[in-house]
Amino acid sequence: MSRNQDVEAARHGERNSLLGHADSDDELIGAGGSRGHPTTPRQDDKVAGVQQQVHGVMQVMQDNINRILERGDRLDDLESRSDNLNVNADHFRRGATQVRRRMWWQNCRMKIIITLVVLAIIGIIVAVAVTQSGKTS
């Protein structure tokens, strides 16, 4: 199983454990009055009010859970991007080191070539001077 599949399975399990497996809100809050005891309209209004409050709280909690799960998704995405950035930084560092070495060697070769050209010119000048001084003497 891949890492993403593991994360999705864990999220699904977490969502089910937090939200429960009830098919409706009535099952979660125990609808149906006072279990067989006759109720007055005033008690029914109180129960309905409490059930509405419980339903509102449950909705807020479900929204919070969904936000937490979405935040987890965003954090996983951020972690993935961070890993990719780290890998790319390593590749860049290696490439930059290779370019720096190559340019150093190229610079050394140019210095050697320039030194040899200057020595050759000096050698030609000395040779011409020696041959000219030999002719005049």
Side-chain angles (χ1 to χ4, degrees):
M1 213 181 221
S2 72
R3 182 174 187 264
N4 287 337
Q5 290 172 335
D6 288 340
V7 169
E8 287 303 316
R11 277 201 190 102
H12 182 68
E14 183 179 2
R15 183 183 302 256
N16 285 340
S17 69
L18 291 172
L19 297 178
H21 295 290
D23 291 334
S24 69
D25 291 342
D26 292 339
E27 290 179 31
L28 292 172
I29 59 177
S34 339
R35 301 182 193 251
H37 299 292
T39 59
T40 64
R42 187 172 177 190
Q43 288 176 332
D44 287 340
D45 290 343
K46 286 183 180 180
V47 169
V50 169
Q51 284 178 340
Q52 281 183 330
Q53 287 178 345
V54 168
H55 179 70
V57 169
M58 286 176 50
Q59 188 63 39
V60 168
M61 290 303 295
Q62 288 175 349
D63 290 345
N64 288 342
I65 290 168
N66 286 334
R67 285 185 194 143
I68 289 169
L69 294 174
E70 288 170 2
R71 181 177 178 258
D73 290 340
R74 289 192 308 266
L75 287 175
D76 290 340
D77 185 44
L78 182 62
E79 180 183 7
S80 174
R81 288 181 182 182
S82 175
D83 291 341
N84 288 339
L85 184 60
N86 193 22
V87 167
N88 289 337
D90 287 339
H91 288 300
F92 178 80
R93 190 177 303 115
R94 281 189 224 117
T97 301
Q98 288 175 350
V99 169
R100 187 177 66 233
R101 286 180 184 153
R102 198 174 321 132
M103 294 308 291
W104 184 82
W105 278 111
Q106 185 176 357
N107 190 27
C108 285
R109 281 189 293 244
M110 288 302 284
K111 286 179 182 179
I112 291 170
I113 289 171
I114 290 172
T115 302
L116 290 175
V117 168
V118 168
L119 289 176
I121 291 172
I122 291 174
I124 291 172
I125 291 174
V126 169
V128 168
V130 169
T131 56
Q132 289 294 331
S133 68
K135 286 184 182 177
T136 54
S137 318

